[in-house]
Amino acid sequence: MPADNPPFADASFPWDHQPPSPQPQPQPDRAARQLRAARRLPVRITLLLLAVHAVIVLLAAPARAVLAQPLAGPFNVGLGLLLAQLCMTAGVAVWYGRYARAAIDPLTEDRESSLPHPEGQR
């Protein structure tokens, strides 16, 4: 066997392997950034609503005396907080419907119209 041609010269070893060059990530276009920005506000409001709900639930046990304080007639603080939470939830649901129609739907329609239809032109 010649000395200049070692055995397994053409074999590849795991430590010789070069990782593939990373593919450049596609940058989101302007419409995608606008859509993402338009969705941030509803997420923040939803998180705020969940935080209010969590505070009311967490107050139920340790602040029972505070929640039992009468407000007007048979209504106490706990019932007032519950009704306020119900009104906030309904208000946020109505607001989101209007917001989605006005701010999110036009952005998604623009984005969908720029994408090719999967079944081709009809």
Side-chain angles (χ1 to χ4, degrees):
M1 182 183 292
D4 59 343
N5 191 7
F8 309 110
D10 57 345
S12 65
F13 296 99
W15 54 82
D16 292 337
H17 178 67
Q18 295 294 326
S21 62
Q23 297 293 327
Q25 295 294 327
Q27 295 297 321
D29 59 346
R30 184 171 180 242
R33 285 193 307 268
Q34 286 177 335
L35 184 59
R36 204 170 296 126
R39 289 181 175 166
R40 283 189 190 118
L41 182 62
V43 168
R44 290 178 181 158
I45 290 177
T46 301
L47 291 176
L48 177 67
L49 192 65
L50 289 173
V52 169
H53 175 71
V55 167
I56 292 171
V57 168
L58 293 175
L59 280 177
R64 187 174 299 223
V66 173
L67 295 177
Q69 292 294 319
L71 285 177
F75 297 108
N76 59 16
V77 173
L79 183 59
L81 287 174
L82 177 68
L83 293 174
Q85 180 186 4
L86 180 66
C87 292
M88 284 176 31
T89 304
V92 167
V94 170
W95 169 82
Y96 179 72
R98 292 178 180 168
Y99 179 80
R101 267 192 302 293
I104 296 176
D105 288 350
L107 294 173
T108 56
E109 288 170 2
D110 290 344
R111 188 146 170 87
E112 288 174 359
S113 65
S114 67
L115 297 174
H117 194 277
E119 296 177 10
Q121 298 295 329
R122 291 187 179 226

